Amino acid sequence: MVKYDETKKFLDRLHDGKLNRRSFMKGMGAAGLASVSASLMYSQTAHAYEGAARIFLWGGYDDPGLFGPYIEKHGDPEYATFGDAEEGLKKLKAGFEQDVAWPCQGEIKRWVRGGVLQPLDISRMAHWDDMFPEIRDLPSGIVDGEHYFAPCDWGDTSLTYNTDKIGWMSPDQGNESLSLMEDPRMKGKLGILNSAADSLYVMMHYLGTDITKSETLTKEAIDQGINKYRELRDNGQILTFFDDTASIAEALGNEEVWAAMTWNETSWETGMPFMKPKERTMNWVCGLALCANTPNVDKAYDLINAATSPETSAYLLSEWGYGHSNKKGFSALTTAELDERGLASNPVEHLANGVFSVMPSDEVADYMEAQWAEMVAGG
């Protein structure tokens, strides 16, 4: 049964516009509404966009601003959403038919092994040469020498923190470190994003695991990261695990927590610094992939080209606060505006200060998700 207070809180934030895009489906799940909304969405759109390209993407990414050139040519695409990457993969493997999907770079090889993607025809990629090579040519998006991934949005996972409360650490002092999570002065003032693919990876990185290589992401490395979070949870260091970043921003704003594991958008929303720790941040890139056996290839490529266009780059940077793969959009914002969003005027330098994660084997990935869920639930 859906709890009334959880549902009301979620709907109030939705009404007030306080839910950002990647938080939407997580909030739906917390309120017990995700499966209901998904079934309604599928039934309502089954015949609404006949002939349109179908795109399967993160909840909240069904934003027309991301697909402007496609919409000008064809009208709206057909949107379907997933709450996390595992949900998306399972639905596609079960036969949910789509033309384009929007996973993140760490999941590409797992999705290819699952048989749900096909390689991209680079000759049909209108903006391929305008992309930052450091993002476009990530090894995690290439399988057997073929690109399966057209990157679009990118950012970081790190700590957003309140320097008014944490006077002993700041960007100006040059002493930022993920060790803040263990500082006893932070007891009861630390919030963690409820996402194994983000928060657990940052912890493993902090503890010395090379998260850029799947062979080092063992069950032992997972256990080490999980147990550190258990320790911080049990000694009262962690206040709570947040299901959406809107709640994190609210908790930072009212000083319920002084620091939280977030994406860079939370820094922009709160005006608080986004940590660039000596250990380096964790970078992420998400983007579009061509679903296996799509009959709608021409419109699928139109959709991919729209999402990777200079217009979408400028829109994403301006309105979402995320980086974009297309270089040309960056000229639309000033250096100050990019700094506000936790981005750099030179994205290559920005990304060089972080590390890109990869997914472990399917067996270890299943283990990781199960162990994370158990720990967050109190086990």
Side-chain angles (χ1 to χ4, degrees), residues 68-84:
Y70 175 93
I71 293 172
E72 289 178 12
K73 184 176 181 180
H74 300 293
D76 289 338
E78 177 184 343
Y79 301 110
T81 59
F82 52 81
D84 59 54

mmCIF file with all atom_site columns, all heavy atoms in Angstrom, residues 68-84:
data_model
loop_
_atom_site.group_PDB
_atom_site.id
_atom_site.type_symbol
_atom_site.label_atom_id
_atom_site.label_alt_id
_atom_site.label_comp_id
_atom_site.label_asym_id
_atom_site.label_entity_id
_atom_site.label_seq_id
_atom_site.pdbx_PDB_ins_code
_atom_site.Cartn_x
_atom_site.Cartn_y
_atom_site.Cartn_z
_atom_site.occupancy
_atom_site.B_iso_or_equiv
_atom_site.pdbx_formal_charge
_atom_site.auth_seq_id
_atom_site.auth_comp_id
_atom_site.auth_asym_id
_atom_site.auth_atom_id
_atom_site.pdbx_PDB_model_num
ATOM 1   N N   . GLY A 1 68 ? 15.046 18.887 -29.795 1.00 0.00 ? 68 GLY A N   1
ATOM 2   C CA  . GLY A 1 68 ? 14.467 19.936 -30.620 1.00 0.00 ? 68 GLY A CA  1
ATOM 3   C C   . GLY A 1 68 ? 14.532 19.692 -32.120 1.00 0.00 ? 68 GLY A C   1
ATOM 4   O O   . GLY A 1 68 ? 13.501 19.777 -32.803 1.00 0.00 ? 68 GLY A O   1
ATOM 5   N N   . PRO A 1 69 ? 15.699 19.392 -32.715 1.00 0.00 ? 69 PRO A N   1
ATOM 6   C CA  . PRO A 1 69 ? 15.755 19.189 -34.166 1.00 0.00 ? 69 PRO A CA  1
ATOM 7   C C   . PRO A 1 69 ? 14.898 18.019 -34.643 1.00 0.00 ? 69 PRO A C   1
ATOM 8   O O   . PRO A 1 69 ? 14.326 18.082 -35.736 1.00 0.00 ? 69 PRO A O   1
ATOM 9   C CB  . PRO A 1 69 ? 17.245 18.924 -34.416 1.00 0.00 ? 69 PRO A CB  1
ATOM 10  C CG  . PRO A 1 69 ? 17.944 19.643 -33.308 1.00 0.00 ? 69 PRO A CG  1
ATOM 11  C CD  . PRO A 1 69 ? 17.048 19.455 -32.113 1.00 0.00 ? 69 PRO A CD  1
ATOM 12  N N   . TYR A 1 70 ? 14.776 16.959 -33.826 1.00 0.00 ? 70 TYR A N   1
ATOM 13  C CA  . TYR A 1 70 ? 13.908 15.841 -34.211 1.00 0.00 ? 70 TYR A CA  1
ATOM 14  C C   . TYR A 1 70 ? 12.448 16.294 -34.216 1.00 0.00 ? 70 TYR A C   1
ATOM 15  O O   . TYR A 1 70 ? 11.689 15.989 -35.145 1.00 0.00 ? 70 TYR A O   1
ATOM 16  C CB  . TYR A 1 70 ? 14.092 14.663 -33.254 1.00 0.00 ? 70 TYR A CB  1
ATOM 17  C CG  . TYR A 1 70 ? 13.123 13.527 -33.528 1.00 0.00 ? 70 TYR A CG  1
ATOM 18  C CD1 . TYR A 1 70 ? 13.480 12.472 -34.357 1.00 0.00 ? 70 TYR A CD1 1
ATOM 19  C CD2 . TYR A 1 70 ? 11.833 13.524 -32.988 1.00 0.00 ? 70 TYR A CD2 1
ATOM 20  C CE1 . TYR A 1 70 ? 12.591 11.446 -34.643 1.00 0.00 ? 70 TYR A CE1 1
ATOM 21  C CE2 . TYR A 1 70 ? 10.935 12.513 -33.263 1.00 0.00 ? 70 TYR A CE2 1
ATOM 22  C CZ  . TYR A 1 70 ? 11.314 11.472 -34.088 1.00 0.00 ? 70 TYR A CZ  1
ATOM 23  O OH  . TYR A 1 70 ? 10.419 10.466 -34.376 1.00 0.00 ? 70 TYR A OH  1
ATOM 24  N N   . ILE A 1 71 ? 12.048 17.001 -33.176 1.00 0.00 ? 71 ILE A N   1
ATOM 25  C CA  . ILE A 1 71 ? 10.642 17.421 -33.047 1.00 0.00 ? 71 ILE A CA  1
ATOM 26  C C   . ILE A 1 71 ? 10.258 18.378 -34.167 1.00 0.00 ? 71 ILE A C   1
ATOM 27  O O   . ILE A 1 71 ? 9.139  18.324 -34.693 1.00 0.00 ? 71 ILE A O   1
ATOM 28  C CB  . ILE A 1 71 ? 10.414 18.038 -31.650 1.00 0.00 ? 71 ILE A CB  1
ATOM 29  C CG1 . ILE A 1 71 ? 10.562 16.950 -30.573 1.00 0.00 ? 71 ILE A CG1 1
ATOM 30  C CG2 . ILE A 1 71 ? 9.045  18.705 -31.561 1.00 0.00 ? 71 ILE A CG2 1
ATOM 31  C CD1 . ILE A 1 71 ? 10.547 17.473 -29.154 1.00 0.00 ? 71 ILE A CD1 1
ATOM 32  N N   . GLU A 1 72 ? 11.179 19.268 -34.560 1.00 0.00 ? 72 GLU A N   1
ATOM 33  C CA  . GLU A 1 72 ? 10.897 20.178 -35.672 1.00 0.00 ? 72 GLU A CA  1
ATOM 34  C C   . GLU A 1 72 ? 10.632 19.408 -36.960 1.00 0.00 ? 72 GLU A C   1
ATOM 35  O O   . GLU A 1 72 ? 9.809  19.817 -37.785 1.00 0.00 ? 72 GLU A O   1
ATOM 36  C CB  . GLU A 1 72 ? 12.088 21.121 -35.876 1.00 0.00 ? 72 GLU A CB  1
ATOM 37  C CG  . GLU A 1 72 ? 12.239 22.161 -34.783 1.00 0.00 ? 72 GLU A CG  1
ATOM 38  C CD  . GLU A 1 72 ? 13.453 23.041 -35.005 1.00 0.00 ? 72 GLU A CD  1
ATOM 39  O OE1 . GLU A 1 72 ? 14.035 22.986 -36.126 1.00 0.00 ? 72 GLU A OE1 1
ATOM 40  O OE2 . GLU A 1 72 ? 13.837 23.777 -34.076 1.00 0.00 ? 72 GLU A OE2 1
ATOM 41  N N   . LYS A 1 73 ? 11.295 18.273 -37.122 1.00 0.00 ? 73 LYS A N   1
ATOM 42  C CA  . LYS A 1 73 ? 11.174 17.492 -38.360 1.00 0.00 ? 73 LYS A CA  1
ATOM 43  C C   . LYS A 1 73 ? 10.028 16.495 -38.315 1.00 0.00 ? 73 LYS A C   1
ATOM 44  O O   . LYS A 1 73 ? 9.296  16.320 -39.307 1.00 0.00 ? 73 LYS A O   1
ATOM 45  C CB  . LYS A 1 73 ? 12.490 16.762 -38.610 1.00 0.00 ? 73 LYS A CB  1
ATOM 46  C CG  . LYS A 1 73 ? 12.553 15.971 -39.910 1.00 0.00 ? 73 LYS A CG  1
ATOM 47  C CD  . LYS A 1 73 ? 13.940 15.365 -40.099 1.00 0.00 ? 73 LYS A CD  1
ATOM 48  C CE  . LYS A 1 73 ? 14.032 14.583 -41.407 1.00 0.00 ? 73 LYS A CE  1
ATOM 49  N NZ  . LYS A 1 73 ? 15.398 13.986 -41.588 1.00 0.00 ? 73 LYS A NZ  1
ATOM 50  N N   . HIS A 1 74 ? 9.829  15.840 -37.165 1.00 0.00 ? 74 HIS A N   1
ATOM 51  C CA  . HIS A 1 74 ? 8.882  14.718 -37.100 1.00 0.00 ? 74 HIS A CA  1
ATOM 52  C C   . HIS A 1 74 ? 7.768  14.886 -36.076 1.00 0.00 ? 74 HIS A C   1
ATOM 53  O O   . HIS A 1 74 ? 6.821  14.091 -36.072 1.00 0.00 ? 74 HIS A O   1
ATOM 54  C CB  . HIS A 1 74 ? 9.626  13.424 -36.740 1.00 0.00 ? 74 HIS A CB  1
ATOM 55  C CG  . HIS A 1 74 ? 10.701 13.022 -37.705 1.00 0.00 ? 74 HIS A CG  1
ATOM 56  N ND1 . HIS A 1 74 ? 10.421 12.622 -38.991 1.00 0.00 ? 74 HIS A ND1 1
ATOM 57  C CD2 . HIS A 1 74 ? 12.044 12.953 -37.558 1.00 0.00 ? 74 HIS A CD2 1
ATOM 58  C CE1 . HIS A 1 74 ? 11.562 12.309 -39.608 1.00 0.00 ? 74 HIS A CE1 1
ATOM 59  N NE2 . HIS A 1 74 ? 12.565 12.510 -38.765 1.00 0.00 ? 74 HIS A NE2 1
ATOM 60  N N   . GLY A 1 75 ? 7.863  15.853 -35.179 1.00 0.00 ? 75 GLY A N   1
ATOM 61  C CA  . GLY A 1 75 ? 6.953  15.890 -34.043 1.00 0.00 ? 75 GLY A CA  1
ATOM 62  C C   . GLY A 1 75 ? 7.553  15.117 -32.887 1.00 0.00 ? 75 GLY A C   1
ATOM 63  O O   . GLY A 1 75 ? 8.683  14.617 -32.955 1.00 0.00 ? 75 GLY A O   1
ATOM 64  N N   . ASP A 1 76 ? 6.789  14.991 -31.814 1.00 0.00 ? 76 ASP A N   1
ATOM 65  C CA  . ASP A 1 76 ? 7.313  14.366 -30.603 1.00 0.00 ? 76 ASP A CA  1
ATOM 66  C C   . ASP A 1 76 ? 7.656  12.895 -30.812 1.00 0.00 ? 76 ASP A C   1
ATOM 67  O O   . ASP A 1 76 ? 6.928  12.169 -31.497 1.00 0.00 ? 76 ASP A O   1
ATOM 68  C CB  . ASP A 1 76 ? 6.279  14.445 -29.467 1.00 0.00 ? 76 ASP A CB  1
ATOM 69  C CG  . ASP A 1 76 ? 6.108  15.849 -28.933 1.00 0.00 ? 76 ASP A CG  1
ATOM 70  O OD1 . ASP A 1 76 ? 7.036  16.671 -29.121 1.00 0.00 ? 76 ASP A OD1 1
ATOM 71  O OD2 . ASP A 1 76 ? 5.061  16.137 -28.330 1.00 0.00 ? 76 ASP A OD2 1
ATOM 72  N N   . PRO A 1 77 ? 8.758  12.439 -30.191 1.00 0.00 ? 77 PRO A N   1
ATOM 73  C CA  . PRO A 1 77 ? 9.017  10.995 -30.151 1.00 0.00 ? 77 PRO A CA  1
ATOM 74  C C   . PRO A 1 77 ? 8.107  10.342 -29.128 1.00 0.00 ? 77 PRO A C   1
ATOM 75  O O   . PRO A 1 77 ? 7.388  11.030 -28.384 1.00 0.00 ? 77 PRO A O   1
ATOM 76  C CB  . PRO A 1 77 ? 10.479 10.918 -29.704 1.00 0.00 ? 77 PRO A CB  1
ATOM 77  C CG  . PRO A 1 77 ? 10.672 12.148 -28.871 1.00 0.00 ? 77 PRO A CG  1
ATOM 78  C CD  . PRO A 1 77 ? 9.804  13.208 -29.509 1.00 0.00 ? 77 PRO A CD  1
ATOM 79  N N   . GLU A 1 78 ? 8.126  9.040  -29.072 1.00 0.00 ? 78 GLU A N   1
ATOM 80  C CA  . GLU A 1 78 ? 7.374  8.299  -28.057 1.00 0.00 ? 78 GLU A CA  1
ATOM 81  C C   . GLU A 1 78 ? 8.316  8.011  -26.897 1.00 0.00 ? 78 GLU A C   1
ATOM 82  O O   . GLU A 1 78 ? 9.345  7.361  -27.054 1.00 0.00 ? 78 GLU A O   1
ATOM 83  C CB  . GLU A 1 78 ? 6.848  6.985  -28.631 1.00 0.00 ? 78 GLU A CB  1
ATOM 84  C CG  . GLU A 1 78 ? 6.111  6.127  -27.592 1.00 0.00 ? 78 GLU A CG  1
ATOM 85  C CD  . GLU A 1 78 ? 5.687  4.793  -28.138 1.00 0.00 ? 78 GLU A CD  1
ATOM 86  O OE1 . GLU A 1 78 ? 5.652  4.639  -29.382 1.00 0.00 ? 78 GLU A OE1 1
ATOM 87  O OE2 . GLU A 1 78 ? 5.399  3.895  -27.326 1.00 0.00 ? 78 GLU A OE2 1
ATOM 88  N N   . TYR A 1 79 ? 7.964  8.525  -25.713 1.00 0.00 ? 79 TYR A N   1
ATOM 89  C CA  . TYR A 1 79 ? 8.817  8.377  -24.537 1.00 0.00 ? 79 TYR A CA  1
ATOM 90  C C   . TYR A 1 79 ? 8.364  7.204  -23.666 1.00 0.00 ? 79 TYR A C   1
ATOM 91  O O   . TYR A 1 79 ? 7.161  6.994  -23.453 1.00 0.00 ? 79 TYR A O   1
ATOM 92  C CB  . TYR A 1 79 ? 8.765  9.633  -23.664 1.00 0.00 ? 79 TYR A CB  1
ATOM 93  C CG  . TYR A 1 79 ? 9.198  10.910 -24.336 1.00 0.00 ? 79 TYR A CG  1
ATOM 94  C CD1 . TYR A 1 79 ? 8.255  11.905 -24.641 1.00 0.00 ? 79 TYR A CD1 1
ATOM 95  C CD2 . TYR A 1 79 ? 10.528 11.154 -24.641 1.00 0.00 ? 79 TYR A CD2 1
ATOM 96  C CE1 . TYR A 1 79 ? 8.639  13.102 -25.229 1.00 0.00 ? 79 TYR A CE1 1
ATOM 97  C CE2 . TYR A 1 79 ? 10.927 12.352 -25.234 1.00 0.00 ? 79 TYR A CE2 1
ATOM 98  C CZ  . TYR A 1 79 ? 9.976  13.320 -25.528 1.00 0.00 ? 79 TYR A CZ  1
ATOM 99  O OH  . TYR A 1 79 ? 10.357 14.505 -26.115 1.00 0.00 ? 79 TYR A OH  1
ATOM 100 N N   . ALA A 1 80 ? 9.319  6.462  -23.140 1.00 0.00 ? 80 ALA A N   1
ATOM 101 C CA  . ALA A 1 80 ? 9.084  5.499  -22.070 1.00 0.00 ? 80 ALA A CA  1
ATOM 102 C C   . ALA A 1 80 ? 10.259 5.629  -21.120 1.00 0.00 ? 80 ALA A C   1
ATOM 103 O O   . ALA A 1 80 ? 11.390 5.889  -21.547 1.00 0.00 ? 80 ALA A O   1
ATOM 104 C CB  . ALA A 1 80 ? 8.989  4.073  -22.613 1.00 0.00 ? 80 ALA A CB  1
ATOM 105 N N   . THR A 1 81 ? 10.027 5.487  -19.820 1.00 0.00 ? 81 THR A N   1
ATOM 106 C CA  . THR A 1 81 ? 11.073 5.773  -18.843 1.00 0.00 ? 81 THR A CA  1
ATOM 107 C C   . THR A 1 81 ? 11.371 4.583  -17.942 1.00 0.00 ? 81 THR A C   1
ATOM 108 O O   . THR A 1 81 ? 10.534 3.722  -17.700 1.00 0.00 ? 81 THR A O   1
ATOM 109 C CB  . THR A 1 81 ? 10.682 6.973  -17.958 1.00 0.00 ? 81 THR A CB  1
ATOM 110 O OG1 . THR A 1 81 ? 9.452  6.692  -17.279 1.00 0.00 ? 81 THR A OG1 1
ATOM 111 C CG2 . THR A 1 81 ? 10.526 8.231  -18.791 1.00 0.00 ? 81 THR A CG2 1
ATOM 112 N N   . PHE A 1 82 ? 12.617 4.581  -17.455 1.00 0.00 ? 82 PHE A N   1
ATOM 113 C CA  . PHE A 1 82 ? 13.017 3.612  -16.430 1.00 0.00 ? 82 PHE A CA  1
ATOM 114 C C   . PHE A 1 82 ? 13.610 4.373  -15.247 1.00 0.00 ? 82 PHE A C   1
ATOM 115 O O   . PHE A 1 82 ? 14.071 5.503  -15.385 1.00 0.00 ? 82 PHE A O   1
ATOM 116 C CB  . PHE A 1 82 ? 14.022 2.588  -16.984 1.00 0.00 ? 82 PHE A CB  1
ATOM 117 C CG  . PHE A 1 82 ? 15.238 3.156  -17.671 1.00 0.00 ? 82 PHE A CG  1
ATOM 118 C CD1 . PHE A 1 82 ? 16.330 3.601  -16.945 1.00 0.00 ? 82 PHE A CD1 1
ATOM 119 C CD2 . PHE A 1 82 ? 15.287 3.241  -19.058 1.00 0.00 ? 82 PHE A CD2 1
ATOM 120 C CE1 . PHE A 1 82 ? 17.457 4.118  -17.575 1.00 0.00 ? 82 PHE A CE1 1
ATOM 121 C CE2 . PHE A 1 82 ? 16.411 3.758  -19.705 1.00 0.00 ? 82 PHE A CE2 1
ATOM 122 C CZ  . PHE A 1 82 ? 17.497 4.194  -18.955 1.00 0.00 ? 82 PHE A CZ  1
ATOM 123 N N   . GLY A 1 83 ? 13.581 3.736  -14.069 1.00 0.00 ? 83 GLY A N   1
ATOM 124 C CA  . GLY A 1 83 ? 14.073 4.377  -12.854 1.00 0.00 ? 83 GLY A CA  1
ATOM 125 C C   . GLY A 1 83 ? 15.547 4.146  -12.614 1.00 0.00 ? 83 GLY A C   1
ATOM 126 O O   . GLY A 1 83 ? 16.226 4.977  -12.013 1.00 0.00 ? 83 GLY A O   1
ATOM 127 N N   . ASP A 1 84 ? 16.070 2.999  -13.037 1.00 0.00 ? 84 ASP A N   1
ATOM 128 C CA  . ASP A 1 84 ? 17.499 2.740  -12.951 1.00 0.00 ? 84 ASP A CA  1
ATOM 129 C C   . ASP A 1 84 ? 17.897 1.815  -14.090 1.00 0.00 ? 84 ASP A C   1
ATOM 130 O O   . ASP A 1 84 ? 17.049 1.236  -14.780 1.00 0.00 ? 84 ASP A O   1
ATOM 131 C CB  . ASP A 1 84 ? 17.902 2.156  -11.590 1.00 0.00 ? 84 ASP A CB  1
ATOM 132 C CG  . ASP A 1 84 ? 17.185 0.850  -11.264 1.00 0.00 ? 84 ASP A CG  1
ATOM 133 O OD1 . ASP A 1 84 ? 17.241 -0.089 -12.093 1.00 0.00 ? 84 ASP A OD1 1
ATOM 134 O OD2 . ASP A 1 84 ? 16.587 0.750  -10.183 1.00 0.00 ? 84 ASP A OD2 1
#
